[in-house]
Amino acid sequence: MGGVSLALGTLAAAVAAGIVALRRRRRDQAEAALRALFAPHAGLIGKDYAYVVERAGPAYFYGGMDHGRDVAQWRAGGLLAEVWFQNGVCTDVEIR
């Protein structure tokens, strides 16, 4: 009976490790896609919000900040892309 428990425990550990590896691989792929979409600025400077959304899809967050600047954010895994706008025109792209 102990051998069966050991085998099941080993199988469960292998399945769990496989799930973790799959999630990590998906996160890494999503982050790579986000980097490719926004870096290096991907020709977004000078473009309007509609153009950026057409390329990147809907923003995770969009809001007004100080001094008439707006920011739109996209997330993938642990990565954040911020696109900054002034008067509706992209002025900066940050990926972190």
Side-chain angles (χ1 to χ4, degrees), residues 41-62:
H41 303 301
L44 301 177
I45 304 296
K47 305 294 185 186
D48 65 4
Y49 179 71
Y51 177 84
V52 177
V53 169
E54 184 179 305
R55 293 197 52 185
Y60 168 79
F61 170 81
Y62 181 87

Side-chain angles (χ1 to χ4, degrees), residues 2-70:
V4 172
S5 293
L6 180 60
L8 288 176
T10 302
L11 177 60
V15 169
I19 290 170
V20 168
L22 178 61
R23 286 180 180 161
R24 185 175 298 127
R25 188 169 40 252
R26 285 182 181 164
R27 184 197 68 220
D28 291 347
Q29 289 171 343
E31 288 179 359
L34 187 72
R35 281 187 195 282
L37 195 57
F38 289 102
H41 303 301
L44 301 177
I45 304 296
K47 305 294 185 186
D48 65 4
Y49 179 71
Y51 177 84
V52 177
V53 169
E54 184 179 305
R55 293 197 52 185
Y60 168 79
F61 170 81
Y62 181 87
M65 304 308 249
D66 291 339
H67 308 293
R69 292 186 63 181
D70 298 323

